Amino acid sequence: MVHAVARLRAAEILTLRPKQLWSSLMLRIISGVILSSFLAFPMAAQTNQQPPPKDLSAWLRNSFAMNRKFIARAAEKMPEDFYGIRPGAQPEVRTFGQLVGHLADFNYRWCSDAKGEKNPMQETELEKLASKAYLVKALNSALTYCDGAYAMLTDANSMDLVQGTRDDGTKVPVLRISRLISNLAHNNEHYGNLVTYMRIKSIVPPSSEPR
């Protein structure tokens, strides 16, 4: 449901009347947020955090702040010797290091869309970086870049239309908040992958570290 917001077609946006557009968009967003809230609740309970704030932009900022710490910590904690592992023999499955680079790539892509500016790393495939040092640096830079996108989000500007970047490089009108919801969901999805790789090597992932 979260990704449904990001995939809203340009033609649909242009043909809907204002009231219809608002109702359609709000239904998609609310559905995604409700789903994300249910998924995030167990983690919040385990970490003794306060309930999420009522306004959507603040909730999204706080959720990203928690998630980015786990991702950055996982990249740092995994020894470089294990950056080349996969959970199986399939060569099409990303290695741990490729996942770190993939996350850096997409944080730059979706947060630049949300900011309404050109992706500063558009010409660079960070997933192809060879060493842990370069990958960790790229990931931290991408997450820091995204901090600005989440910081600028308000409930007032969250419904603004921005240009979303597709895999083929073409653009499509999307909601500003949809880029940031998609980014958070994508980060959470791949953090789960990172956890699996760490557990394979008997390494405690950041979200399970003693507090």
Side-chain angles (χ1 to χ4, degrees):
M1 288 186 182
V2 172
H3 288 290
V5 179
R7 292 195 294 265
L8 184 63
R9 300 190 305 273
E12 181 181 350
I13 293 174
L14 295 175
T15 56
L16 287 174
R17 293 180 179 178
K19 289 185 178 179
Q20 292 174 317
L21 175 60
W22 177 263
S23 299
S24 175
L25 295 178
M26 286 305 297
L27 178 60
R28 291 165 188 255
I29 289 175
I30 291 170
S31 298
V33 170
I34 290 173
L35 174 60
S36 298
S37 297
F38 278 122
L39 294 175
F41 178 77
M43 182 178 291
Q46 291 174 13
T47 55
N48 297 318
Q49 294 209 354
Q50 296 298 317
K54 293 181 180 179
D55 53 305
L56 181 56
S57 58
W59 171 83
L60 193 56
R61 259 193 310 279
N62 289 352
S63 298
F64 173 75
M66 178 192 301
N67 171 262
R68 78 181 302 295
K69 291 178 182 177
F70 289 155
I71 290 174
R73 172 68 179 141
E76 276 287 357
K77 190 172 184 179
M78 191 71 152
E80 184 162 16
D81 289 348
F82 298 151
Y83 258 60
I85 68 167
R86 294 181 171 89
Q90 301 88 345
E92 68 274 15
V93 176
R94 290 184 176 94
T95 65
F96 184 93
Q98 287 170 338
L99 277 175
V100 172
H102 177 71
L103 283 165
D105 280 327
F106 272 80
N107 273 266
Y108 271 120
R109 180 198 289 191
W110 282 333
C111 288
S112 63
D113 287 349
K115 288 182 175 182
E117 61 188 38
K118 182 180 178 180
N119 181 351
M121 300 301 287
Q122 183 174 329
E123 307 301 325
T124 306
E125 290 186 74
L126 300 174
E127 187 174 326
K128 294 183 177 180
L129 293 176
S131 72
K132 173 182 175 177
Y134 286 128
L135 286 164
V136 168
K137 181 178 179 181
L139 177 63
N140 286 331
S141 295
L143 295 172
T144 298
Y145 179 78
C146 277
D147 286 338
Y150 285 89
M152 68 174 283
L153 184 71
T154 66
D155 286 353
N157 67 23
S158 63
M159 303 299 288
D160 292 347
L161 287 177
V162 296
Q163 292 299 305
T165 306
R166 291 170 166 163
D167 288 342
D168 63 3
T170 58
K171 302 287 185 176
V172 60
V174 295
L175 294 176
R176 185 191 307 279
I177 196 170
S178 77
R179 294 284 85 180
L180 298 179
I181 290 176
S182 293
N183 188 63
L184 174 63
H186 186 253
N187 281 357
N188 274 321
E189 174 186 350
H190 285 305
Y191 175 68
N193 296 140
L194 297 179
V195 166
T196 299
Y197 289 51
M198 297 179 83
R199 288 296 189 186
I200 288 173
K201 293 300 182 180
S202 300
I203 298 172
V204 177
S207 50
S208 297
E209 289 177 336
R211 288 175 177 79

